Amino acid sequence: LVRCLDSSSGINAEYGDNSGVIEGEDLMELPMGDEEKIPSEEEVDKANTLRGDAMRAGSGGEVEEAVKLLGEAISLNPHSAVLYAKRAQMLLRLKKAITLPEMRRRRLN
């Protein structure tokens, strides 16, 4: 049984099944972009192009390359929830996770 308390959000939960849990040694740091940045139209277009490149790389089995490309896209357009979701999808394929402090720091509204 695992007990989880997140004091910043008030979440208190118990979990009995840890199957599929990503262990600590598989955690990785990822670029999250500058949350203060307001991307230009060119940066948004480039981020979308990188997203397409990443999806092609992931479809071709180059999942680590897809994660790298999505990180570049996030750096250009850090307010795109789609980019974070696509990167999370690729990370799940790699069975990797980002650190909890990083997730707290970049909660999406």
Side-chain angles (χ1 to χ4, degrees), residues 7-8 17 51 56 64 72 78 85 89 93-94:
S7 60
S8 66
D17 181 12
R51 182 184 73 192
R56 280 187 289 285
E64 288 184 10
E72 291 175 28
Q89 179 183 26
R93 288 178 60 188
L94 286 173

Side-chain angles (χ1 to χ4, degrees), residues 20 34 37 41 55 62 77 83:
D34 177 6
K37 178 183 177 98
E41 267 189 54
M55 293 299 95
E62 298 177 39
N77 186 7
L83 295 174

